[in-house]
Structure formats: structure tokens, C-alpha cells
Amino acid sequence: MQRRQGLVDLVLFLSTGVEAFSVSILFFSITGCEKPSGSRLDEIKERKMMAGKVFLFLLCLNVVSFAVIASSPQTCPADDVSSKCGASDEWEGEFFPGIPKIKYEGPSSKNPLSYKWYNADEEILGKKMKDWMRFSVAFWHTFRGTGGDPFGAPTKFWPWEDGTDSLAMAKRRMRANFEFIEKLGVDLWCFHDRDIAPDGKTLEEANANLDEVVALAKELQGKKIHPLWGTAQLFHHPRYMHGGATSSEVAVYAYAAAQVKKAMEVTHYLGGENYVFWGGREGYQTLLNTDMGRELDHLARFLEAAAAYKKKIGFNGTLLIEPKPQEPTKHQYDWDAATTANFLRKYGLIGEFKLNIECNHATLSGHSCHHELETARLNGLLGNIDANTGDPQIGWDTDQFLTDIAEATMVMLSVVRNGGLAPGGFNFDAKLRRESTDVEDLFISHISGMDTLARGLRNVAKLIEDGSLENLVRKRYQSFDTEIGAQIEAGKADFEMLEKKAMEWGEPKVPSAKQELAEMIFQSAL
Ligand code: XUL
Ligand code: CO
């Protein structure tokens, strides 16, 4: 498409130039100022004929070129949508010109558009880095993030955006998404239904819009790329102001179910490996007007129905719940990993769902990301990580790229102990700061986030190889590696027996916890 356009442009340019030239010859020969003699008159006639022929030939060439242009679909330059773009969904050129495919150059590289620590095919702890990490690009932040905040207007005006929410724009954006993913060198992406396609006046219209964009995404994905997960956006539209599955209105519950049904279908169609439920408005503002018990029962019924539908359509992806304590509601039901695990257990949903732990959500609930990951892991529920971080001074979900090496090392400790995340992975639920407005910032932020986690993995390998931290922990509990300790752990030590032992042993000698030593060992691996 692009080449054909270039050729037509060249022919047009050349023929128009030569046309102008021949017309000037014609003009000159007709209006020449010298008085012509007989043989000179014949010569002029001949020149006129020749010029006329050239002119006619070039005119034909022009007409053919115009016909080719008119018959080809209208194209739209990727880096400037203002001029040629109508309802066309075709494009020309690159969305990220000048950005090469990002390569590993090693820690000494000063090239911001290169990986310094993430070397996809390098083996660490018996697995390729790319298989430990399974990085994914979040469509909503990378392609729908505008930089707008509650106090200010959008700051990002990507060259391919035309300011509309049209289907043509959705398709162009999808093309930009896949160019981005390919240049970054990852295989996975995540989306909400309403980020990738415009909503409709009716559910039918919204579904039709989604189908159209999803068909293009399927074509652009090729064989290698597919969604890490998909999800339904049940928090933006006013109908969801009281929640989706926990709304007090039964018609909203039904609408939410229909939206999740469709989002699961398209995730399955695109080869998605997981499906996420983030209860953005599944919570309450005040208990004075809320029947919490009834809302939680409804949420469980909703999730049960989702698990049943997944089986019905033959979707083998993992269903994931993403805990978050609040924002937008004052209190969300999936507060943290422990609360969510308890909810799943109470309603008999443990085997059907795992958790998607987001680091910024962890800190909002008053925990560290490491705590949430370990809580999920120890319950057999660690399914996926939304890789981001908050700001220690700002009290909301800032969704920043994780660049703290110590934090990343702790995250990777959990991932390695979990044996990896597959079929889950790391989704960059992270956005550029409002003030970062260059197209290349999209790349720099992802590269930085990927390198930080890759560095975390390398540090975990060092810690495991060194073994001192593991030894320290083992030593700390060694008193339980005894006959009585084994009896306690097997649930065979009753209180009478323990009382006898306490009297026999007398006042226990309590050893140091060695916290500073543990921190020193940890730091030495960074
Ligand atoms: C919001 C959030 C969501 C979910 C998907 O805080 O994390 O983007 O990850 O709905
Ligand atoms: Co998230």
C-alpha cells in the first residue's frame, strides 16, 4: 500500500514537471520573437507537433495516475491525521518513525532506546528471561492515556490521534498498538472492551463496534502476539455508578453480565490467556444505604455465572480478580489479597479464580507489594501482576512505572518462588506522567520498567546462588526442626504435652531476628 502510493506520487511529480517543461517549449516556439523564414516555419511546426505529442502522452499519464489514486483506498499518514484522513482506516508510514526495534545492549549502554538488563532469550534460573517476565502492554494507558487529571486538560496529543472516538480512529490506534508491541519486542497486550472500540447507543451497537475492531486486532496480531488478558470496563459509564455486579438495579446487573459475556468471547477469540475482573465500582460509599451482605452475594453469583460461561464457550484462560481497596468507591469489596481469598473461599470459588496483584493497589491497602504477592502465592492464588508503583507522597493510584530496584527484587522473589506466573505475566498497568509528552517517552517508560524487573530477576538469582538469606531464615526456625517441632507442625501436640515441655525447658533463650543482617545480605545483591 505504502509503496504503491510512493510510486504514484513519483509518476505524478515527474509527469507534471515534464508537462510544465513541454508547455513552456510550446509557448516559446509559438511566441518566439524572431520572424521565421520558410524552413524555420517547418522546423517550428515540427517542434510544436513534438511538444504536443509529449504533452498529450504526459496528460494521459497524469489521468492514469489520478485514476489509480482514486481507485485505491484513501490513506492517512500515521504521523499527521489532519489532512488526508476521512473515514478511512488505511494508513501510510510508521506511527513511531525513527524508533528502531529495541535491542539488548547491556548495562554499559547509554542508549535510552535499548535494554540494559532485559535480554529476552538469556537463561536465568533455568528459564529464559522472557518466560519469567511475560511482559504485556496495557492498551488503556499506552493508547488511551491523555494526561488529563481531575485538575487539568489532556496534555498528550499523539500524532495519529484525530481527537475523535470513531471506529476509524479505533482501528488506526490498533495499528499503532501493534507497531509499538513489535518494536518493543513483546508478545502480549491487555485491553478493556471500551478502550479498544467505541461504545454504542445500544448494547448491540457497542458489540458490533467491538467485533469490527477485534477482527482487525486478530489480523494484526499474527501468530505470535495475543492478549495476556482482556476485561470489561464496568466503571466509566453512568449506568455503573452503583456498581455492575453489586448495583442495586437488576437491569444494571444484567447489562454488566452481557458486557462481561461479550468481553470474554472476544478475549477467547483473540487467544487471550486470562480474563480479569477489577471491581472498580463494586463497593460502597456508605453502609447507611447499602445492603452489604446482599451485594456480596450478588457479586458471587455474577462470578459463578462467569466461570460457567467460560466453560460453556471452551475458554481455558484463568479468571483473575484484581484487588484494590478504594478509588473510585470509598470501600471496594476486593480490598486486598486476603479479603479476596476469603471471599472466594466463602463462596466456593477458590478453584475457579486466581488473583491479579497490582503493586500500587497493594500500597493503597496499607501493604507492600511483596506482602500481597506472598499472601496470594501462599494461598495458591498468584496468577498475574499489574506491574506499577505508587508514589510515597501521593495517596492515590498514580500507576507509575516501577523503577525501584529493591522493590523489583522483592517482587521477583515471589515470582521465582511461585515458579513463574504463566499463563499470567506482567502487565504494565502504568502510565506516563502528565508532563511526559513525547512519543518516545512511551518506549522509554516501558524499557525502564522492563529493565527494572529484569534487574530484579538477576538479583534474585544472585541471592539464591549466595544462599545466605535462605540460610538465615532456615536457622531462624531451626528449633522447629526437632521432634517436638514436627509434632506441632503435624497438629499432634496438645496443650497438656506442651505445658509439660515448657516446664521441663524453663525460660526459653530467644535468639536475635537478625533483621539488619537480612537487609545487608539483600542489599548486597542489588
Ligand atoms: C484500575 C486498574 C485497572 C485494572 C483493569 O486501578 O488497575 O486498570 O487493571 O480494569
Ligand atoms: Co490494574
Side-chain angles (χ1 to χ4, degrees):
M1 180 72 230
Q2 225 177 299
R3 281 224 189 115
R4 184 151 64 123
Q5 181 67 56
L7 205 71
V8 170
D9 283 350
L10 184 72
V11 173
L12 262 179
F13 174 75
L14 287 178
S15 58
T16 313
V18 184
E19 239 166 57
F21 181 66
S22 59
V23 168
S24 28
I25 291 178
L26 250 178
F27 182 78
F28 174 73
S29 35
I30 295 163
T31 58
C33 50
E34 56 182 284
K35 199 151 175 93
S37 65
S39 64
R40 177 78 184 119
L41 247 168
D42 288 347
E43 200 186 309
I44 289 173
K45 255 192 208 161
E46 225 171 89
R47 267 164 62 185
K48 273 187 192 170
M49 290 267 286
M50 191 57 200
K53 275 182 194 164
V54 172
F55 179 65
L56 255 172
F57 172 72
L58 290 166
L59 204 65
C60 288
L61 208 61
N62 250 199
V63 170
V64 171
S65 309
F66 277 120
V68 170
I69 287 178
S71 67
S72 38
Q74 224 194 334
T75 60
C76 174
D79 56 352
D80 173 19
V81 290
S82 55
S83 53
K84 293 195 204 168
C85 299
S88 157
D89 58 2
E90 292 293 331
W91 95 117
E92 67 186 58
E94 290 181 48
F95 294 93
F96 305 97
I99 307 252
K101 174 133 187 159
I102 310 300
K103 295 206 182 72
Y104 173 70
E105 290 183 6
S108 59
S109 172
K110 294 272 180 278
N111 175 9
L113 295 174
S114 75
Y115 295 118
K116 283 105 199 143
W117 303 94
Y118 177 62
N119 190 10
D121 289 313
E122 186 181 331
E123 271 209 13
I124 306 247
L125 295 171
K127 236 197 267 245
K128 285 189 175 168
M129 278 188 122
K130 65 177 178 197
D131 297 328
W132 278 117
M133 315 313 290
R134 293 175 48 83
F135 287 127
S136 138
V137 171
F139 192 92
W140 55 97
H141 284 310
T142 308
F143 290 98
R144 302 311 304 268
T146 63
D149 72 12
F151 303 94
T155 56
K156 297 180 212 314
F157 304 98
W158 305 131
W160 55 85
E161 288 286 335
D162 66 5
T164 70
D165 194 19
S166 67
L167 256 177
M169 189 56 245
K171 291 185 188 173
R172 201 177 311 135
R173 224 179 261 129
M174 194 53 83
R175 291 182 188 280
N177 175 46
F178 285 104
E179 187 183 317
F180 182 79
I181 287 176
E182 269 157 36
K183 285 190 165 170
L184 202 61
V186 300
D187 304 335
L188 299 162
W189 64 295
C190 290
F191 65 94
H192 295 89
D193 49 359
R194 298 293 178 258
D195 315 318
I196 59 171
D199 204 346
K201 285 194 199 79
T202 60
L203 193 56
E204 289 86 341
E205 192 184 313
N207 287 350
N209 288 345
L210 188 58
D211 282 338
E212 212 169 316
V213 179
V214 163
L216 176 70
K218 175 92 173 166
E219 183 191 318
L220 296 172
Q221 278 189 161
K223 292 215 161 62
K224 215 171 111 216
I225 302 172
H226 57 273
L228 176 63
W229 49 262
T231 188
Q233 195 203 66
L234 304 181
F235 44 89
H236 183 78
H237 195 281
R239 84 172 67 86
Y240 295 122
M241 67 179 172
H242 308 302
T246 61
S247 173
S248 44
E249 281 303 311
V250 73
V252 175
Y253 183 100
Y255 207 107
Q259 210 182 310
V260 168
K261 173 179 174 288
K262 181 71 185 171
M264 282 175 88
E265 287 164 9
V266 301
T267 303
H268 180 37
Y269 174 72
L270 288 169
E273 293 190 74
N274 304 270
Y275 184 89
V276 162
F277 294 84
W278 170 59
R281 294 194 188 272
E282 313 297 7
Y284 61 80
Q285 299 295 358
T286 170
L287 284 175
L288 293 175
N289 68 1
T290 303
D291 187 337
M292 181 157 72
R294 208 165 176 190
E295 290 199 2
L296 283 165
D297 288 351
H298 292 174
L299 181 57
R301 297 289 164 252
F302 192 94
L303 295 175
E304 254 170 42
Y309 190 66
K310 169 191 132 162
K311 286 171 197 147
K312 190 164 187 182
I313 61 172
F315 174 42
N316 293 323
T318 311
L319 301 180
L320 298 162
I321 299 187
E322 183 177 328
K324 183 176 181 182
Q326 67 276 117
E327 195 201 354
T329 59
K330 170 193 160 70
H331 183 111
Q332 272 157 219
Y333 292 131
D334 304 327
W335 182 274
D336 61 2
T339 312
T340 311
N342 183 55
F343 169 86
L344 291 174
R345 210 161 263 133
K346 175 179 172 190
Y347 289 100
L349 291 166
I350 279 282
E352 306 284 3
F353 288 81
K354 285 194 166 184
L355 301 183
N356 178 31
I357 300 296
E358 175 167 327
C359 291
N360 204 162
H361 295 179
T363 47
L364 286 178
S365 64
H367 303 302
S368 65
C369 189
H370 198 198
H371 169 91
E372 285 295 84
L373 292 172
E374 286 296 281
T375 304
R377 184 179 75 77
L378 294 170
N379 281 284
L381 293 174
L382 179 54
N384 193 83
I385 299 178
D386 266 11
N388 65 12
T389 194
D391 181 288
Q393 274 89 48
I394 302 177
W396 66 84
D397 197 13
T398 55
D399 284 341
Q400 290 166 234
F401 282 86
L402 174 61
T403 54
D404 182 315
I405 299 158
E407 174 86 345
T409 306
M410 284 189 267
V411 167
M412 290 313 298
L413 261 177
S414 290
V415 172
V416 169
R417 283 177 185 151
N418 203 53
L421 293 167
F426 279 100
N427 168 52
F428 282 109
D429 194 355
K431 61 185 173 209
L432 289 178
R433 298 304 83 202
R434 184 167 190 263
E435 303 79 6
S436 298
T437 53
D438 288 344
V439 166
E440 71 158 15
D441 295 334
L442 290 171
F443 279 90
I444 291 171
S445 55
H446 282 81
I447 292 168
S448 176
M450 289 163 78
D451 263 345
T452 306
L453 284 160
R455 210 166 165 177
L457 176 63
R458 290 176 186 278
N459 293 343
V460 171
K462 280 193 240 166
L463 284 170
I464 290 177
E465 199 182 315
D466 170 71
S468 323
L469 194 59
E470 214 186 313
N471 264 341
L472 183 148
V473 178
R474 203 180 22 246
K475 261 172 97 183
R476 202 166 167 228
Y477 296 90
Q478 69 188 2
S479 67
F480 278 84
D481 300 335
T482 52
E483 202 190 326
I484 182 80
Q487 277 177 300
I488 292 172
E489 288 182 349
K492 289 186 180 142
D494 60 29
F495 272 12
E496 283 95 341
M497 182 247 238
L498 290 169
E499 182 188 45
K500 214 166 128 223
K501 275 286 165 198
M503 285 174 177
E504 181 190 321
W505 285 335
E507 188 58 37
K509 279 200 199 92
V510 185
S512 164
K514 295 295 194 204
Q515 180 173 334
E516 294 75 10
L517 179 61
E519 284 160 355
M520 184 186 277
I521 296 169
F522 180 77
Q523 290 296 328
S524 69
L526 303 187

